[in-house]
């Protein structure tokens, strides 16, 4: 009987891992679509504007997602989510409205038109029910449901890009943003159908106090995660034009593809950390973390070596000849791509364990240092320093977080 239970548990774990990888394969396909369709269709200056707009959207969305959706996952997985769900819905919409106000101030200053700004801000609003529905499904380990919600966005966007490109209509930032916004609407509808409760906020002050007490920690975690992936583009955009930034934005597409494997691992580790901490089974969590890091690098290191060896013919064939200037950025970004799992797994484990206070100070410190270094070097040197600033940031952040994680797990 014990053997049967063990086998069933192993099969269940394998199934969850397969679904997690499938969920993270969706942005991989989408990333390839960006490379083969969007990058080739949009003029360089339009893609630069699109990259700035979508970087803002992701940073602003991650603020709300990190503050409240990640809190919902942790609370729900640990059995304390029902009493704060309605408050988290209200807080999510309230925070998003602040993000929209910031968008109307920041995006025009970065060179976006009012139409581009409005589309970006509307997409930010529509993301809220989608993110909350995904959080509920994630916390309950309903990975198939998460897959459906994500597929509506990523495959919907990809299909829209392909159709418009074939018709010769994918030529402006507005057309690309419109495709993304339509796909977000589709994804949110799919989430609402499964979890209509994500549109029902409550208004009891005690609920809001209980929800916000943990959200401030998860928010900084998520903001740090998205900052190092895309937020530095907004910092660089303050001193460089979208045209100059475009090759670096294109190169970071490859960094995001590398990060998908570690994100798949974090997708499993975060709620697992909350559950195992509640059960007091930290040795099992340590084993899972060790296997996760080995698996990420077993895939990432060979891929990085292949890309480094064949970058000159591969990058122009993927991005087009107009992005030959992206080759040095792609090569330099291979270093932070391999360092990223140290920081991302470290912070997800600590926050999942309910110990975010050990992660937050170092995240904030490294973010500030990264922003200052990018501003100074981009302004007085050139853009080629940005990948190395990112590599140093991941090295410092990952080293500190992993040291703390293993200290906690061995205690």
């Amino acid at each position: 009987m014990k053997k049967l239970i063990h086998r069933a548990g192993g099969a269940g774990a394998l199934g969850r891992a397969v679904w997690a990888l499938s969920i993270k394969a969706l942005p991989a396909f989408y990333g390839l679509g960006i490379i083969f369709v969007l990058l080739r269709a949009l003029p360089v200056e339009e893609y630069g504007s699109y990259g700035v707009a979508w970087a803002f959207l992701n940073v602003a969305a991650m603020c709300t997602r990190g503050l409240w959706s990640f809190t919902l996952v942790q609370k729900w997985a640990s059995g304390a989510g029902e009493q704060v769900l309605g408050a988290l819905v209200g807080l999510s919409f309230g925070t998003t409205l602040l993000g929209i106000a910031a968008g109307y101030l920041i995006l025009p200053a970065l060179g976006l038109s009012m139409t581009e700004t409005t589309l970006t801000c509307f997409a930010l609003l529509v993301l809220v029910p989608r993110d909350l529905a995904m959080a509920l499904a994630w916390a309950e380990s309903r990975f198939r449901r998460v897959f459906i919600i994500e597929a509506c966005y990523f495959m919907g966007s990809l299909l829209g890009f392909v159709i418009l490109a074939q018709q010769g209509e994918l030529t402006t930032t507005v057309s690309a943003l419109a495709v993304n916004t339509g796909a977000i609407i589709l994804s949110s509808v799919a989430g609402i159908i499964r979890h209509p409760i994500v549109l029902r906020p409550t208004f009891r002050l005690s609920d809001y106090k209980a929800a916000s007490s943990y959200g401030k920690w998860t928010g900084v975690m998520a903001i740090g995660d998205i900052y190092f992936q895309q937020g530095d583009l907004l910092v660089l955009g303050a001193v460089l034009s979208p045209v100059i930034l475009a090759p670096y934005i294109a190169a970071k597409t490859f960094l995001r593809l590398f990060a998908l494997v570690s994100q798949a691992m974090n997708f499993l580790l975060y709620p697992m950390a909350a559950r195992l901490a509640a059960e007091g089974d930290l040795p099992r969590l340590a084993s899972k973390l060790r296997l996760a890091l080995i698996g990420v690098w077993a895939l990432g290191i060979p891929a990085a070596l292949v890309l480094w060896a064949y970058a000159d013919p591969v990058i122009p064939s993927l991005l087009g000849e107009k992005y030959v200037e992206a080759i040095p950025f792609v090569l330099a970004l291979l270093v932070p791509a391999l360092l990223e799992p140290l920081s991302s797994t470290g912070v997800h484990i600590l926050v999942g364990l309910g110990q975010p206070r050990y992660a937050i100070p170092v995240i904030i410190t490294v973010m500030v240092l990264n922003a200052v270094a990018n501003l100074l070097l981009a302004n007085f040197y050139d853009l080629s320093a940005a990948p190395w600033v990112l590599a140093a940031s991941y090295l410092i952040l990952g080293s500190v977080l992993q040291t703390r994680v293993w200290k906690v797990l061995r205690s």
Side-chain angles (χ1 to χ4, degrees), residues 118-205:
T118 299
L119 270 172
T120 305
C121 292
F122 179 70
L124 182 61
L125 178 64
V126 182
L127 271 173
V128 174
R130 167 194 181 273
D131 287 346
L132 289 172
M134 280 185 57
L136 282 173
W138 181 13
E140 295 175 352
S141 295
R142 296 179 181 270
F143 294 155
R144 181 180 178 183
R145 189 171 296 178
V146 176
F147 179 85
I148 292 171
I149 296 171
E150 285 279 67
C152 287
Y153 169 67
F154 286 113
M155 303 313 291
S157 291
L158 186 55
L159 181 61
F161 288 150
V162 170
I163 292 173
L164 284 190
Q166 289 179 340
Q167 295 175 348
E169 299 293 331
L170 190 63
T171 58
T172 65
T173 301
V174 169
S175 61
L177 291 174
V179 169
N180 285 134
T181 303
I184 290 172
I185 293 172
L186 180 63
S187 182
S188 289
V189 169
I192 292 168
I193 289 173
R194 289 292 189 176
H195 298 283
I197 198 169
V198 299
L199 293 178
R200 300 173 192 167
T202 58
F203 300 98
R204 291 188 297 271
L205 183 60

Side-chain angles (χ1 to χ4, degrees), residues 39-62:
L39 274 165
R40 293 172 178 269
L42 288 182
V44 173
E45 62 273 12
E46 293 292 327
Y47 182 72
S49 296
Y50 172 83
V52 171
W54 221 243
F56 172 82
L57 177 93
N58 283 321
V59 171
M62 190 54 82

Side-chain angles (χ1 to χ4, degrees), residues 327-347:
I327 293 175
F329 294 120
V330 173
L331 293 177
L333 285 169
L334 292 176
V335 177
L338 295 176
L339 292 171
E340 184 272 341
L342 288 173
S343 60
S344 65
T345 57
V347 70

Side-chain angles (χ1 to χ4, degrees), residues 32 35-36 39-40 254 307 313-320:
L32 292 175
I35 292 170
F36 287 111
L39 274 165
R40 293 172 178 269
F254 288 90
L307 189 55
V314 168
I315 302 305
S317 66
L318 292 177
L319 304 182

Side-chain angles (χ1 to χ4, degrees), residues 5-306:
I5 293 172
H6 178 74
R7 288 174 183 173
L14 179 61
R16 289 191 293 272
V18 170
W19 274 115
L21 289 172
S22 299
I23 290 164
K24 293 306 175 182
L26 290 170
F29 280 114
Y30 175 74
L32 292 175
I34 293 289
I35 292 170
F36 287 111
V37 181
L38 191 61
L39 274 165
R40 293 172 178 269
L42 288 182
V44 173
E45 62 273 12
E46 293 292 327
Y47 182 72
S49 296
Y50 172 83
V52 171
W54 221 243
F56 172 82
L57 177 93
N58 283 321
V59 171
M62 190 54 82
C63 291
T64 297
R65 191 178 301 141
L67 285 166
W68 316 125
S69 295
F70 275 57
T71 298
L72 179 56
V73 174
Q74 200 278 341
K75 293 291 186 183
W76 203 273
S78 60
E82 290 190 9
Q83 67 263 35
V84 296
L85 174 58
L88 290 172
V89 174
L91 287 166
S92 294
F93 279 104
T95 306
T96 298
L97 292 177
L98 293 176
I100 289 172
Y104 275 103
L105 292 174
I106 294 171
L107 293 177
L110 295 178
L112 270 67
S113 70
M114 188 53 62
T115 302
E116 293 163 352
T117 298
T118 299
L119 270 172
T120 305
C121 292
F122 179 70
L124 182 61
L125 178 64
V126 182
L127 271 173
V128 174
R130 167 194 181 273
D131 287 346
L132 289 172
M134 280 185 57
L136 282 173
W138 181 13
E140 295 175 352
S141 295
R142 296 179 181 270
F143 294 155
R144 181 180 178 183
R145 189 171 296 178
V146 176
F147 179 85
I148 292 171
I149 296 171
E150 285 279 67
C152 287
Y153 169 67
F154 286 113
M155 303 313 291
S157 291
L158 186 55
L159 181 61
F161 288 150
V162 170
I163 292 173
L164 284 190
Q166 289 179 340
Q167 295 175 348
E169 299 293 331
L170 190 63
T171 58
T172 65
T173 301
V174 169
S175 61
L177 291 174
V179 169
N180 285 134
T181 303
I184 290 172
I185 293 172
L186 180 63
S187 182
S188 289
V189 169
I192 292 168
I193 289 173
R194 289 292 189 176
H195 298 283
I197 198 169
V198 299
L199 293 178
R200 300 173 192 167
T202 58
F203 300 98
R204 291 188 297 271
L205 183 60
S206 59
D207 292 344
Y208 280 78
K209 288 181 178 179
S212 60
S213 64
Y214 196 80
K216 61 181 180 291
W217 302 115
T218 58
V220 176
M221 175 197 77
I223 292 167
D225 188 29
I226 196 63
Y227 172 82
F228 293 114
Q229 288 187 40
Q230 289 185 284
D232 61 340
L233 299 177
L234 297 178
V235 174
L236 293 166
V239 293
L240 300 173
S241 71
V243 175
I244 295 174
L245 269 180
Y248 184 59
I249 295 173
K252 290 202 84 172
T253 301
F254 288 90
L255 178 65
R256 292 197 296 275
L257 290 175
F258 272 87
L260 291 177
V261 180
S262 63
Q263 289 173 11
M265 298 302 178
N266 293 329
F267 192 80
L268 296 172
L269 289 173
Y270 181 55
M272 183 189 301
R275 286 194 294 268
L276 293 179
E279 297 169 5
D281 194 358
L282 295 186
R284 185 181 173 194
L285 181 58
S287 175
K288 298 293 185 183
L289 174 57
R290 191 178 294 109
L291 287 174
L293 289 172
I294 291 172
V296 168
W297 285 322
L299 294 173
I301 292 174
L305 290 174
V306 170

